[in-house]
Amino acid sequence: MRPSGRSPDMMREIEMIPGFNAHAEGSCLVKFGQTHVLVTASVEEKVPPFMRGKGEGWVTAEYGMLPRSTHTRSSREAAKGKQSGRTQEIQRLIGRSLRAVTNLKALGERQIVIDCDVLQADGGTRTAAISGAWVALRMALDKINAVTPFETDPLPLQVAAVSCGVYEGTPVLDLDYPEDSTAHTDGNFVLTSSGHLVEVQATAEGDIFDEETLLRLLRLARMGCDAIFAKQRAATGR
């Protein structure tokens, strides 16, 4: 039995509240159980220097955890003067995941910056951030399109992410913190709505695992992402 009482293939309750921020071109408050992440998408009519003259746009992301998003207060990274390796790794993952489903040429020479702020953490903050970021990005693009229509939709596919792992010898879907902190195998899966893989992060935290276990985790991830895709479509009216 999982600490939450869920079956091995059961997600936490997912909630996506679009337009949560009144100022951003796109925004979404995403909740995976007790993990809550506020995601905003900001449109800039320019591209980074390394993209200038290419006739393409860019999508990038920043990620951070609020001081009391966990059981004890952590100092703001801005106060420390540098980002942790974990923060840099996660925000690069979010950016890669979104660019994997974005037609940068169709986007034109503009940049969209995705900000992911963890309000409350209970495991799976990066996967919740990626899943909510797609909603914020979709809303921002729709806002651009309403003024200057795109010739081609820059976001033809959805992308979502979910964690899976081996807890007490059983592969389980969507780990919360009590499971994540003691899992023998921990993995994050990023998938597109076409069924393709963007990224897989799987680590033996305790016991090593075999190919069949990895495939079982992937099957669980596909089930979880299908549920997330449905929530994304409901949130954006797609």
Side-chain angles (χ1 to χ4, degrees):
M1 180 64 70
R2 304 174 69 176
S4 62
R6 290 180 288 147
S7 62
D9 61 352
M10 186 176 182
M11 292 279 293
R12 289 174 287 181
E13 182 179 354
I14 305 170
E15 185 177 2
M16 293 184 172
I17 305 173
F20 191 82
N21 183 293
H23 304 294
E25 285 80 5
S27 65
C28 177
L29 176 62
V30 56
K31 300 180 181 180
F32 279 29
Q34 292 302 310
T35 289
H36 301 171
V37 184
L38 175 59
V39 186
T40 59
S42 303
V43 179
E44 299 178 351
E45 294 297 330
K46 59 181 180 179
V47 293
F50 66 88
M51 291 296 295
R52 288 175 188 163
K54 294 184 177 181
E56 298 181 2
W58 191 247
V59 178
T60 189
E62 294 187 11
Y63 167 97
M65 297 181 67
L66 295 189
R68 277 316 303 262
S69 58
T70 58
H71 294 94
T72 57
R73 185 185 186 277
S74 58
S75 300
R76 297 179 190 272
E77 292 186 339
K80 297 178 181 178
K82 64 177 183 179
Q83 291 181 318
S84 69
R86 175 182 180 274
T87 294
Q88 294 181 55
E89 181 237 331
I90 291 175
Q91 60 190 27
R92 288 169 182 163
L93 170 65
I94 297 168
R96 288 196 302 271
S97 300
L98 294 173
R99 290 193 296 273
V101 293
T102 303
N103 183 334
L104 298 178
K105 186 168 290 293
L107 179 59
E109 292 198 359
R110 56 172 62 90
Q111 175 173 245
I112 300 182
V113 181
I114 306 295
D115 286 293
C116 304
D117 292 293
V118 179
L119 310 181
Q120 185 170 287
D122 186 35
T125 61
R126 73 187 67 193
T127 56
I130 291 168
S131 300
W134 184 88
V135 173
L137 178 59
R138 177 75 269 174
M139 294 181 66
L141 292 173
D142 287 346
K143 191 166 186 176
I144 295 171
N145 190 64
V147 178
T148 309
F150 293 109
E151 292 185 7
T152 303
D153 184 5
L155 197 61
L157 296 173
Q158 293 169 255
V159 69
V162 71
S163 64
C164 298
V166 178
Y167 175 76
E168 297 294 336
T170 301
V172 296
L173 173 64
D174 190 24
L175 284 70
D176 53 25
Y177 180 75
E179 295 170 330
D180 187 42
S181 60
T182 60
H184 294 159
T185 301
D186 181 24
N188 297 298
F189 295 78
V190 185
L191 282 77
T192 72
S193 53
S194 63
H196 291 85
L197 294 166
V198 175
E199 192 149 342
V200 176
Q201 302 174 333
T203 306
E205 301 285 356
D207 297 335
I208 57 176
F209 58 96
D210 57 18
E211 182 179 351
E212 177 56 31
T213 299
L214 180 61
L215 291 175
R216 290 176 68 183
L217 294 177
L218 176 57
R219 287 192 287 270
L220 287 172
R222 290 194 184 281
M223 293 171 59
C225 285
D226 283 344
I228 297 169
F229 292 142
K231 290 290 185 178
Q232 289 175 334
R233 290 192 294 270
T236 58
R238 289 276 171 167

